[in-house]
Amino acid sequence: MKIVWVNSWFDPGKEGDAAKALIDQGADVLMQHTDSGAPMQIAEQQGIFAFGQASNMANFGPNAQLSGIIDDWAPYYVQQVGKALDGSWSSTDTWGGFNTGMVALAPFGAAVPAELQARALEVRDNIANGTLHPFTGPINKQDGSAWLADGEVADDGTLLGMGFYVEGIDGVLPQ
């Protein structure tokens, strides 16, 4: 997996350039952690697949989108504003995911076989109910050194403090 940093949450030009650079390096599936539809549009134009980020991006790449992550923070924001208004708000870390509804899967594209859709939904459900944690060892750091032992699970604080990539990632963290 190759990573290109654009150092922005929303910059369609940079996101599009990053997508093109990855395709030029042989990428046949794009994923993003930025918010514009540019990478999905590039995938659609180039006839490859992609996963969206933050919203359903199928309109940008109806043939390209395999699925994606949808962020739905509206109920959380309503709850927090209510707490601010009634004086009960306090600053806390929030790690909402599938289990809280803050994160959902985008619809699957037509290219995703039904069996794979069912497996993906099973994995999503297992993450949501806590029977599967994506960061469960054995996992090595990018350089091959051990990070998590077999069965060891990284807690939220450990994940928040990660200053390295895991094995299989081709890239360098910005300094």
Side-chain angles (χ1 to χ4, degrees):
M1 179 181 292
K2 294 179 185 252
I3 296 179
V4 173
W5 285 78
V6 296
N7 298 307
S8 174
W9 289 114
F10 187 86
D11 188 326
K14 285 183 179 180
E15 293 172 55
D17 288 345
K20 290 174 189 172
L22 288 166
I23 292 167
D24 287 347
Q25 295 175 48
D28 55 359
V29 177
L30 298 177
M31 296 186 313
Q32 66 187 74
H33 198 72
T34 54
D35 295 337
S36 89
M40 187 65 70
Q41 288 174 317
I42 299 296
E44 181 78 10
Q45 293 165 5
Q46 297 296 316
I48 67 168
F49 295 115
F51 288 90
Q53 161 62 26
S55 63
N56 181 3
M57 295 192 169
N59 288 340
F60 296 104
N63 300 304
Q65 180 168 289
L66 295 173
S67 185
I69 292 295
I70 296 173
D71 296 330
D72 183 4
W73 296 344
Y76 170 78
Y77 287 142
V78 169
Q79 177 190 49
Q80 296 306 305
V81 168
K83 288 180 178 182
L85 291 172
D86 73 15
S88 65
W89 182 86
S90 63
S91 178
T92 61
D93 290 331
T94 299
W95 291 82
F98 291 128
N99 62 328
T100 64
M102 289 177 73
V103 176
L105 282 179
F108 294 105
V112 182
E115 310 83 54
L116 187 55
Q117 291 182 33
R119 178 67 179 122
L121 293 173
E122 180 184 344
V123 168
R124 178 208 55 199
D125 292 347
N126 289 340
I127 291 170
N129 69 30
T131 59
L132 173 66
H133 192 288
F135 284 91
T136 300
I139 300 176
N140 293 332
K141 292 183 178 182
Q142 185 181 41
D143 64 6
S145 63
W147 175 45
L148 294 176
D150 189 23
E152 183 180 5
V153 175
D155 62 21
D156 291 342
T158 299
L159 294 175
L160 184 61
M162 280 179 68
F164 56 88
Y165 287 135
V166 297
E167 201 167 39
I169 303 295
D170 180 1
V172 178
L173 284 171
Q175 298 299 319

